[in-house]
Amino acid sequence: MVEQKTLLNVVEAAERRRSIRDYQPRPMPEEDLREILRVAGLAPSAWNIQPWRVTVVRDPELKAKLQQAAFGQKQVGSAPAVLVVWSDMKDALEHMDEFVHPGMPADRAEDMKATIRRVFGDMGAEAAEQWAQGQTYIFLGYLLLAISAFGYASSPMLGFDPVAVKALLGIPEHATVPALVAVGEAAEEGFPHHRHPLERFVKFV
Ligand SMILES: Cc1cc2nc3c(=O)[nH]c(=O)nc-3n(C[C@H](O)[C@H](O)[C@H](O)COP(=O)(O)O)c2cc1C
């Protein structure tokens, strides 16, 4: 387990994180993965719906098949674990009692559930899954920072065939897969950050 004192703060974690595509072969302790995922799960979501789901792939044979589904990207084969981040709004809506805060008065909770049923009923199942994908990208941001804070490296990926990934891992067809994330100890430095200056994307009015 990574000791508390070695954790990076959020600024350090953001500065230190780079996409890493070559990893040390050492397996990652499961307790570190669990703690990283717990912290990522603190991400906020609208109505607290938390539609994100994660399949942790460590089995070498399965990882080799996942690499094929990711167009052979080398980080999938190189990393000791690949986190398949998916999103399932259907499952979330079927279990609304899981995400309604237990401290909420019963009448308010019923109102909130009725609103959610109406909003997503009007939206339609496919648009609701897309909406959930947006929420899951918030989780992804937290996940990448948490991995970095714990001293590990990562590589987020959109370069994969989602139909093949879902079939391989038994993820329901209606679900979306916002990203794969390779995770482990870095065996390369990655590229220095190249980012817009603040003036390019921020306007104070
Ligand atoms: C959602 C998402 C999908 C990405 N997909 C890929 C990918 O399929 N393959 C890859 O090599 N890098 C992928 N990247 C990495 C980006 O190219 C990288 O984050 C960006 O160039 C900035 O570099 P940095 O992560 O080292 O700071 C992806 C990044 C994000 C956030």
Side-chain angles (χ1 to χ4, degrees):
M1 175 77 182
V2 174
E3 287 176 32
Q4 200 77 4
K5 63 180 186 311
T6 68
L7 288 177
L8 303 184
N9 70 38
V10 71
V11 176
E12 292 165 338
E15 298 271 13
R16 186 82 63 89
R17 191 212 59 78
R18 294 172 174 185
S19 288
I20 294 297
R21 298 173 178 90
D22 196 15
Y23 291 85
Q24 308 283 354
R26 266 189 296 281
M28 253 181 95
E30 182 162 322
E31 63 260 44
D32 287 359
L33 275 171
R34 285 182 174 277
E35 185 59 3
I36 285 166
L37 288 162
R38 185 191 70 79
V39 170
L42 296 175
S45 53
W47 284 303
N48 199 31
I49 288 177
Q50 305 163 68
W52 45 78
R53 309 286 182 261
V54 180
T55 302
V56 180
V57 180
R58 292 173 296 183
D59 175 71
E61 253 176 61
L62 205 51
K63 214 153 50 68
K65 290 182 182 157
L66 188 60
Q67 186 175 17
Q68 277 179 6
F71 312 128
Q73 294 203 63
K74 90 166 178 192
Q75 59 269 38
V76 177
S78 169
V82 180
L83 311 179
V84 176
V85 177
W86 51 288
S87 169
D88 191 342
M89 194 59 180
K90 181 171 181 286
D91 180 49
L93 290 176
E94 284 170 1
H95 298 91
M96 281 203 275
D97 285 328
E98 285 179 351
F99 63 72
V100 174
H101 199 289
M104 191 180 280
D107 54 339
R108 265 192 63 203
E110 284 313 312
D111 281 354
M112 187 176 114
K113 286 193 276 185
T115 303
I116 292 171
R117 260 185 231 106
R118 180 172 41 76
V119 167
F120 292 104
D122 290 349
M123 195 183 277
E126 202 172 319
E129 293 298 345
Q130 288 304 314
W131 181 91
Q133 177 161 348
Q135 304 297 307
T136 302
Y137 277 118
I138 303 171
F139 172 84
L140 177 67
Y142 269 54
L143 178 64
L144 298 177
L145 277 181
I147 291 169
S148 180
F150 278 80
Y152 290 101
S154 67
S155 168
M157 282 164 275
L158 261 180
F160 58 88
D161 172 356
V163 175
V165 168
K166 285 192 270 187
L168 179 65
L169 300 173
I171 295 170
E173 269 178 45
H174 64 260
T176 65
V177 186
L180 310 187
V181 180
V183 58
E185 292 174 60
E188 64 171 16
E189 285 194 4
F191 296 104
H193 286 145
H194 171 62
R195 293 296 194 269
H196 290 314
L198 227 56
E199 297 69 35
R200 179 68 181 90
F201 69 102
V202 179
K203 195 171 182 176
F204 289 92
V205 292

